[in-house]
Amino acid sequence: MNKLLKSIAVFTVICVLLSCTVSAFTDVGNDAWYAENVNSMTSSGLLNGYEDGSFRPESTITYAEFISVTARCVQGTIQPSGTHWASGYMKHAYENGWYDYDEIYEADFDKPITRQMAVKIVDMAFKIPENEHDNNVYYQYMQSIKDFDKIPGRYGYLVVRAYNNGILTGDENGNFNPFSSLTRAEACAIIMRAKGEGSVPAQTAPTVTAAPTQPAAISGGVSQNGKLSVSGTRLVNQNGEPIILRGMSSHGIQWYGNFTSYNAIKNTADRGANLFRVAMYTAENGYISGKETVKQQAYAAVDNAVANDMYVILDWHILSDGDPLQYLNEAVEFFAEASAKYANTPNVIFEICNEPNGNVTWSGNVKPYAEVVIPIIRQNSDAVVLVGSPTWSQDIDKAADDPLGFSNVMYTCHFYAGTHGSWLRDRIDYALSKGAPIFVSEWGTSAADGNGGVFADETSKWLDFLSSRGISWANWSLCDKNESSAALSPGTSPDAVWNDGDLSESGKIVFSRFD
Ligand code: DCB
């Protein structure tokens, strides 16, 4: 080889080497924070620049673009399966649970992706590890992400996970901005980091107060009463003395998880509540479709109630799935894990089926379900177990006539003051007369649909009746939804200290009856 050819070859090699480190795009400076991520995304063909040699790093990225890039990373090229160019990628994403049907509609494919959806997509696609299991981590981010209370419940955990794995940092004001769009440069960075190959942003340690490790002792709380059991028809404390638990139920944690924070629950403890109920829906985008995420939310909510020295009901909230046998296997799996996890936590009460309804009977569906699930719990724990009954937990007479053969079991009776009156109170008396212990783990001041009313007079009749019988209760629900059963006015911050103006008409009544 002559000298000239040789030096041309060397020159070419140097150029190729240089082109790896120098941006290929006219508008991506080498010192831009995203240059490395953009270059690796584009050089591996996952995302392209424009024909004019630009990359347009500050342009927004759409749902279709973001999801197709992510899918190409984990799956390779997918041909369209419909009219939209990205339909194949979108279908893959949907079928793999990267998004739910109510999160992205086809008409939105070409709209800018929101930051919260981008976080969910990479979390699901790259299976980001759950190191927020330690509730302290969650609590810390809850404090350090300034707009955490704006993040809908179903995304909070995913956002924590993304921060904690260095996939994201907040904006310069410390906000996450869940509903804002994402730039193409940010998309490159997020996807590359989720892939485990991106340059990770410098972490600023959250400057926050840790969740209390010692629960704050409250009147009537766990530090005073210890482990509960059932004696006759009464709930009793560690000394065998009758105890009444009163407090709030969450709304569905997949929607209103923000109102299960330590501070939100503390607001009820400060008003005298010694009970909190964690309503973990099974259907309606609950546990069944979002297992890990929803479960972690439920555990964090339980832990926040424990940190407040409260008793806490972990509720398997069947509702549209009226037959508890429908998800029996999932229930077994869940209660096996949860009962082991909380085996040494005297605070926890297990509610194994919120409200059976539809074409189900006590002896044909609910009792057989309970006879499978309770022994699973009993392998780890003899905690109090609450069992529902058909007709949205109103058929307590059927349960009383054909009771379960386990100890420390109570039957739930649910009522809504605008719908259910004296006939249901009479049924409670009947059940008690037959020796069946009753726990009102959900009731509302509204009608049975959660709205209408508030029915103040009927509520007061009901609460006086429950007090006279020593029956414990949890009110539906601790959230700011625009429905009359919600205890908080719309727009109430979950973590602020609530004053009377933050309480709804229902909340004012209920919060005055905790003790
Ligand atoms: C129960 C459920 C609970 C439901 C409330 C109010 O259902 F356990 O999940 O909560 O009572 O209906 C409502 C929320 C709404 C939400 C809806 C669907 O307040 O914001 O949109 O769940 O998730 C009952 C209780 C009793 C009766 C009927 C229902 N009853 N029900 O006697 O007819 O149809 O949900």
Side-chain angles (χ1 to χ4, degrees), residues 251 255 277 281 284 317-319 354-355 391-392 394 414 416 419-420 442 446-451 476-477 481 483 485:
H251 196 282
W255 299 308
R277 176 182 189 240
Y281 273 68
E284 300 186 54
H317 199 85
I318 65 165
L319 186 62
N354 166 50
E355 292 184 355
T391 323
W392 298 281
Q394 286 146 34
H414 290 183
Y416 280 80
T419 305
H420 311 107
E442 184 187 306
S446 65
D449 63 355
N451 216 346
W476 185 266
S477 72
K481 184 167 177 171
E483 62 181 11
S485 59

Side-chain angles (χ1 to χ4, degrees), residues 234-482:
R234 291 299 304 263
L235 186 64
V236 298
N237 70 10
Q238 61 191 359
N239 304 321
E241 298 153 351
I243 179 175
I244 303 178
L245 307 183
R246 297 188 182 105
M248 293 304 300
S249 172
S250 74
H251 196 282
I253 57 172
Q254 78 277 36
W255 299 308
Y256 290 95
N258 288 354
F259 289 94
T260 64
S261 67
Y262 175 79
N263 286 328
I265 297 173
K266 184 173 192 304
N267 271 303
T268 68
D270 289 347
R271 304 271 188 147
N274 58 355
L275 174 68
F276 188 69
R277 176 182 189 240
V278 178
M280 187 182 76
Y281 273 68
T282 42
E284 300 186 54
N285 282 320
Y287 178 79
I288 299 301
S289 59
K291 276 192 182 149
E292 278 309 309
T293 311
V294 175
K295 185 173 74 185
Q296 296 311 329
Q297 270 181 307
Y299 288 163
V302 168
D303 295 344
N304 288 331
V306 170
N308 275 296
D309 197 31
M310 288 173 136
Y311 291 97
V312 55
I313 300 171
L314 184 48
D315 160 38
W316 183 257
H317 199 85
I318 65 165
L319 186 62
S320 62
D321 44 341
D323 182 353
L325 293 171
Q326 184 178 344
Y327 294 121
L328 174 63
N329 293 346
E330 288 84 351
V332 165
E333 183 187 43
F334 174 77
F335 282 108
E337 181 182 303
S339 61
K341 178 175 168 67
Y342 293 114
N344 300 313
T345 310
N347 313 61
V348 179
I349 296 169
F350 298 104
E351 181 170 359
I352 62 175
C353 50
N354 166 50
E355 292 184 355
N357 63 82
N359 192 19
V360 291
T361 62
W362 169 256
S363 55
N365 306 74
V366 185
K367 194 180 184 201
Y369 167 83
E371 285 173 338
V372 174
V373 173
I374 294 174
I376 296 289
I377 294 173
R378 288 291 178 254
Q379 285 179 11
N380 300 310
S381 155
D382 57 359
V384 172
V385 172
L386 306 181
V387 186
S389 57
T391 323
W392 298 281
S393 292
Q394 286 146 34
D395 292 354
I396 45 172
D397 50 330
K398 305 286 190 311
D401 289 342
D402 181 17
L404 290 159
F406 306 97
S407 56
N408 293 336
V409 166
M410 303 181 87
Y411 303 95
T412 61
C413 180
H414 290 183
F415 72 85
Y416 280 80
T419 305
H420 311 107
S422 58
W423 61 270
L424 189 55
R425 293 192 285 273
D426 291 345
R427 219 180 246 188
I428 289 180
D429 277 338
Y430 172 78
L432 292 173
S433 76
K434 301 278 281 190
I438 299 297
F439 195 119
V440 174
S441 58
E442 184 187 306
W443 69 275
T445 59
S446 65
D449 63 355
N451 216 346
V454 168
F455 297 89
D457 292 344
E458 273 303 313
T459 293
S460 131
K461 269 184 216 156
W462 264 107
L463 293 183
D464 292 347
F465 171 83
L466 297 180
S467 291
S468 71
R469 306 298 190 272
I471 294 176
S472 298
W473 54 255
N475 171 260
W476 185 266
S477 72
L478 191 67
C479 77
D480 71 338
K481 184 167 177 171
N482 191 13

